[in-house]
Amino acid sequence: SGASSWTPTPPPQKVKIALCQILSGENKESNIQTAVAAIKKAAYNGAQLVVLPEMWHCPYSNDSFPVYAEDFSKPDARPSFQALSDAAREACVVVVGGSIAERVDDKLYNTCCVFSKTGELLAKHRKVHLFDIDIPGKITFKESLTLTPGEVPTVVDTDVGRLGIGICYDLRFPELAQLYAKRGAQLLVYPGAFNMTTGPVHWELLQKARAVDNQLFVASCSPARNPAASYQAWGHSTVIGPFAEVLATTEHAADTVYAELDFAQLEQRRANMPLAKQRRYDLYGLVDKTG
């Protein structure tokens, strides 16, 4: 699902965004209740766009993904998906629903669903770069043991502007962000769960890099850190402006981060420093293979 590369960028508007850094545990029903309450509270506080973290409905582990996975095509087998749709409609906000383990036949995906303020599914982004790393003595994790990578980048037009969607490890790949910028995205949204090894050094750095390289806004939403969990999330949900300025952030505890975005700043920043016009496409290029 996405906007064609030749579609003009929507007119600039001002948008209040909320990143819900919620604390999740092993009880899916409790996690759902926490997420819905966070969405409704954010909407009550004036947010027009609400973002949840990666895998908010379950513990972040390969053991958990198959157990908590949902088949979005079956109304009786998708409680997390349905709760997000209902909450978006009831709160009248656009929801970037973090990510949920999605089951399709014998495959599992790490999937972010975007819902309109009427609860309609606008887009579905399946994490395209799986988190497979091995830092000896620090952290080893291989999502590919249980998950299948997505095949399609996701740019989606919403009531609050054009969004490019990535999930966690997708943030590390500048080409994906460049492609989103080329398709006219105004804000890149990354639900993510960086860890205690990479989070302190790379989380904010990568968000700033994606923002300043492409002269757009970046928002990344982490789960709160759960001391009882096997995987310790870094937290620090953050919103970055097109000049790499930190507009809002938090620490590692449960919290909601609010920021006011003015998409008119994109045109201003690009006029001040016209990188798109200055790129030497006679020397290098970006190929959009799915646009």
Side-chain angles (χ1 to χ4, degrees):
S1 175
S4 300
S5 55
W6 56 85
T7 306
T9 299
Q13 58 179 310
K14 293 181 179 179
V15 175
K16 185 172 183 178
I17 182 175
L19 310 180
C20 298
Q21 183 169 291
I22 60 175
L23 179 66
S24 298
E26 295 182 357
N27 187 314
K28 184 195 271 194
E29 182 55 41
S30 176
N31 295 339
I32 291 173
Q33 291 173 3
T34 300
V36 168
I39 292 169
K40 292 185 175 180
K41 182 180 178 182
Y44 179 80
N45 288 330
Q48 300 151 279
L49 171 63
V50 182
V51 184
L52 291 180
E54 180 182 26
M55 290 294 185
W56 58 267
H57 72 313
C58 71
Y60 186 84
S61 73
N62 279 315
D63 290 338
S64 297
F65 300 153
V67 177
Y68 289 75
E70 301 182 8
D71 185 338
F72 298 165
S73 68
K74 298 177 180 178
D76 61 343
R78 57 180 196 185
S80 304
F81 175 99
Q82 194 60 51
L84 295 181
S85 172
D86 293 345
R89 185 186 72 253
E90 291 167 10
C92 198
V93 289
V94 175
V95 171
V96 176
S99 77
I100 301 169
E102 178 193 12
R103 184 181 301 281
V104 180
D105 299 322
D106 61 342
K107 293 182 178 179
L108 297 179
Y109 297 94
N110 187 338
T111 302
C112 175
C113 297
V114 181
F115 295 95
S116 74
K117 59 186 182 182
T118 61
E120 175 193 358
L121 179 66
L122 297 176
K124 194 167 64 171
H125 177 76
R126 292 169 174 162
K127 188 175 189 175
V128 294
H129 303 95
L130 294 185
F131 178 55
D132 283 14
I133 71 167
D134 182 14
I135 303 176
K138 295 289 186 179
I139 182 169
T140 299
F141 201 101
K142 293 193 177 351
E143 280 188 326
S144 61
L145 292 175
T146 55
L147 302 177
T148 298
E151 299 293 336
V152 185
T154 306
V155 176
V156 55
D157 282 330
T158 74
D159 287 334
V160 294
R162 183 170 297 170
L163 314 180
I165 309 295
I167 300 174
C168 202
Y169 207 57
D170 287 338
L171 176 62
R172 290 193 175 274
F173 297 86
E175 298 85 354
L176 184 64
Q178 289 165 17
L179 187 153
Y180 287 166
K182 192 174 180 182
R183 293 192 190 181
Q186 296 161 302
L187 166 66
L188 306 186
V189 184
Y190 295 94
F194 271 46
N195 55 72
M196 297 297 292
T197 298
T198 61
V201 286
H202 294 161
W203 175 247
E204 186 176 293
L205 170 72
L206 288 167
Q207 293 173 64
K208 286 182 170 181
R210 300 297 84 87
V212 77
D213 280 353
N214 300 291
Q215 298 174 304
L216 39 63
F217 290 92
V218 173
S220 294
C221 186
S222 169
R225 193 176 308 160
N226 183 348
S230 61
Y231 184 93
Q232 295 287 297
W234 170 238
H236 295 78
S237 298
T238 302
V239 183
I240 305 287
F243 210 56
E245 68 275 34
V246 176
L247 299 179
T249 190
T250 187
E251 296 295 322
H252 65 265
D255 195 9
T256 296
V257 177
Y258 295 94
E260 301 268 1
L261 313 184
D262 182 358
F263 291 147
Q265 287 184 18
L266 303 187
E267 190 175 342
Q268 175 192 340
R269 291 300 183 189
R270 292 167 181 178
N272 297 159
M273 199 180 294
L275 301 182
K277 296 176 182 176
Q278 295 169 334
R279 288 198 168 91
R280 291 289 305 274
Y281 286 122
D282 56 325
L283 302 179
Y284 47 75
L286 177 70
V287 179
D288 186 344
K289 294 186 175 182
T290 62

